[in-house]
Amino acid sequence: MKADPLAGALALALTGVPVAVGSVESLADDLAAQGFPPARLWELRHAAQEEERPWPYPVPLDVRREIGFARFDAALAQARERLGLSGLVSARPAERPLNRDEQRLVADRPPHW
């Protein structure tokens, strides 16, 4: 079976490491078979957010150019949807006191408040 460059790029974006996958259609099964079930992918995504790193992981520009930027982005969105990784994970609030400008904005209330 010849590897699909799009499937490989999607696997790299979701896992952060090169993973041999067969096709876009078998992506979820191929990833799960190699230790990346949806729950593990969610953990990777959450860990990246906690460490303030990008997720999906970066895919080299030349790979995306070869596939086609729009095609890659559409396929990634579809893969994330199928794997239950679409939508945003809530950002954590800042763990510091508010500065003067932020205090002023918080104190600024409409007259009917």
Side-chain angles (χ1 to χ4, degrees), residues 27-75:
L27 181 66
D29 294 333
D30 293 345
L31 288 175
Q34 295 190 45
F36 293 100
R40 172 98 188 278
L41 295 173
W42 187 91
E43 290 170 3
L44 289 172
R45 170 183 159 170
H46 185 69
Q49 182 182 24
E50 287 290 316
E51 296 167 9
E52 298 179 0
R53 291 183 292 115
W55 190 94
Y57 296 104
V59 173
L61 183 62
D62 59 324
V63 172
R64 289 182 289 138
R65 182 178 291 129
E66 181 182 325
I67 293 167
F69 296 105
R71 181 176 176 220
F72 174 77
D73 287 345

Side-chain angles (χ1 to χ4, degrees):
M1 170 184 2
K2 185 178 178 189
D4 179 0
L6 177 58
L10 294 174
L12 177 60
L14 296 170
T15 66
V17 295
V19 179
V21 291
S23 68
V24 174
E25 292 78 23
S26 66
L27 181 66
D29 294 333
D30 293 345
L31 288 175
Q34 295 190 45
F36 293 100
R40 172 98 188 278
L41 295 173
W42 187 91
E43 290 170 3
L44 289 172
R45 170 183 159 170
H46 185 69
Q49 182 182 24
E50 287 290 316
E51 296 167 9
E52 298 179 0
R53 291 183 292 115
W55 190 94
Y57 296 104
V59 173
L61 183 62
D62 59 324
V63 172
R64 289 182 289 138
R65 182 178 291 129
E66 181 182 325
I67 293 167
F69 296 105
R71 181 176 176 220
F72 174 77
D73 287 345
L76 181 58
Q78 190 174 40
R80 288 179 61 185
E81 183 70 33
R82 275 187 275 168
L83 292 166
L85 300 167
S86 62
L88 299 174
V89 175
S90 299
R92 293 183 17 221
E95 296 177 12
R96 60 171 175 73
L98 298 177
N99 64 31
R100 286 182 182 244
D101 290 330
E102 293 166 335
Q103 289 173 356
R104 181 183 50 78
L105 289 171
V106 168
D108 188 20
R109 306 252 194 274
H112 61 279
W113 189 270

